[in-house]
Amino acid sequence: MRIVNTILELRAAINAWRLAGQSVALVPTMGNLHAGHLQLVSIAKKKADRVVVSIFVNPTQFGAGEDFETYPRTEREDQEKLAAEHADLLFLPTVADIYSADAKTTITVTGLSDLYCGASRPGHFSGVATVVCKLFNSVQPDIAVFGLKDFQQLTVIKTMVRDLNIPVEIVGVDTIRESGGLAMSSRNGYLTDEEKSIAPQLYQALRDARDAILAGNPAYADIEQQALQFLQQAGFTPDYFSICRSTDLKKAATEDVDLVLLAAAKLGKTRLIDNIYFSLTAQPS
Ligand code: PAF
């Protein structure tokens, strides 16, 4: 696996593949790779001739007082994991490679970026959209692969790609979970042992709400309230629990068929997010 730090080197490597008629997939990450990330790489490999993985802890998507400084940086281990997964190229830029000091342009997917995680983390999705657009411009991939755990992020990115006519296919990959059901996340490493035993109840709350909806309970606001209460009693400080339409993340009405339940809650200092999506026309797996 080749490792490059600058956009210039990145483009040269990709140009050579393009001249050989090869397709390119991009897996953008912030590193501290776990099985969920490696699954993205494995799917990218099946869909394209060449796989580029980027590791960049993007400062613009962290708010004041968030964990940008302490975000786990495990470059050496990440490189070993990606080499074992047969990624072709690792792009490891610095902040100065990505952002010019007097940058004046940002991307905001309006509306969507202010809801749910965007309401609690103002500016977060502009940071995500801007850096992902920059990565797309640098790599010009045929496809880009993201985890569905960050369902709102994926919806923001898909909307940006549609609105800006970016010629890339966006692929969403199912969440990989720990044996108890906790969605894998780089931030799980912040959890204490006691918090680790509580954390799977976030997914439990999502499954209970899904089951209530599938059983025909039409009182969505009550289901949301019960889930928030359940989380609070389990020891979380819930942020939101929302029954939404999976297409546009608007609040779901009972006639909507394709749903996603979005949840975020703090456990101690750690902010966890998760979701579950399903169709009322099909049974859940
Ligand atoms: O999901 C992430 O790891 C990040 O938000 C992303 C998409 C790599 C942008 O920095």
Side-chain angles (χ1 to χ4, degrees):
M1 181 182 68
R2 190 161 163 211
I3 301 175
V4 300
N5 299 108
T6 67
I7 293 176
L8 222 61
E9 292 169 289
L10 174 73
R11 286 195 174 137
I14 291 168
N15 273 345
W17 296 337
R18 290 292 186 200
L19 287 172
Q22 295 178 325
S23 58
V24 177
L26 170 67
V27 182
T29 81
M30 297 206 301
N32 193 237
L33 304 178
H34 51 65
H37 295 111
L38 301 180
Q39 173 77 350
L40 306 184
V41 176
S42 152
I43 288 183
K45 279 198 75 70
K46 292 198 181 97
K47 290 188 171 280
D49 299 317
R50 297 289 187 170
V51 175
V52 177
V53 179
S54 60
I55 296 183
F56 179 62
V57 184
N58 173 36
T60 65
Q61 69 188 76
F62 291 81
E66 290 189 352
D67 56 344
F68 173 65
E69 272 83 19
T70 53
Y71 196 84
R73 287 156 172 92
T74 50
E75 218 169 84
R76 187 183 297 250
E77 292 92 324
D78 290 350
Q79 285 176 23
E80 281 165 14
K81 288 177 186 169
L82 291 173
E85 209 62 40
H86 304 291
D88 293 284
L89 190 144
L90 171 58
F91 179 43
L92 265 181
T94 62
V95 172
D97 288 312
I98 297 292
Y99 292 104
S100 55
D102 65 343
K104 294 183 174 54
T105 309
T106 56
I107 292 177
T108 300
V109 178
T110 53
L112 259 181
S113 297
D114 300 328
L115 306 170
Y116 315 117
C117 281
S120 317
R121 303 183 68 192
H124 168 69
F125 286 116
S126 285
V128 170
T130 303
V131 80
V132 169
C133 186
K134 281 168 169 280
L135 291 168
F136 286 172
N137 285 338
S138 306
V139 175
Q140 304 194 348
D142 299 284
I143 72 162
V145 186
F146 296 87
L148 276 157
K149 187 186 78 94
D150 299 292
F151 200 96
Q152 187 178 5
Q153 167 173 282
L154 191 66
T155 309
V156 165
I157 291 167
K158 281 182 176 166
T159 307
M160 172 186 77
V161 162
R162 182 201 67 191
D163 292 353
L164 298 183
N165 306 103
I166 302 177
V168 61
E169 180 195 340
I170 302 298
V171 175
V173 174
D174 282 337
T175 303
I176 303 278
R177 297 179 180 280
E178 309 282 357
S179 53
L182 175 65
M184 285 201 184
S185 162
S186 299
R187 289 192 168 98
N188 292 352
Y190 298 153
L191 296 169
T192 63
D193 285 345
E194 196 201 338
E195 289 165 353
K196 271 184 197 144
S197 68
I198 299 171
Q201 296 193 57
L202 182 58
Y203 187 45
Q204 185 62 52
L206 287 162
R207 280 183 299 177
D208 290 349
R210 176 198 61 190
D211 292 348
I213 294 168
L214 286 170
N217 185 344
Y220 287 1
D222 292 348
I223 295 173
E224 288 172 346
Q225 276 314 310
Q226 277 160 19
L228 289 168
Q229 237 165 43
F230 172 87
L231 289 172
Q232 208 149 24
Q233 277 161 12
F236 291 87
T237 306
D239 181 354
Y240 61 81
F241 190 104
S242 294
I243 302 172
C244 309
R245 306 198 301 219
S246 57
T247 43
D248 56 10
L249 306 193
K250 296 233 163 77
K251 282 279 190 184
T254 42
E255 60 271 22
D256 291 318
V257 169
D258 293 316
L259 303 183
V260 61
L261 315 187
L262 300 174
K266 265 189 141 180
L267 198 49
K269 292 195 173 82
T270 311
R271 189 170 188 277
L272 300 174
I273 61 170
D274 202 352
N275 67 77
I276 200 166
Y277 48 90
F278 57 99
S279 172
L280 288 176
T281 57
Q283 287 304 303
S285 53

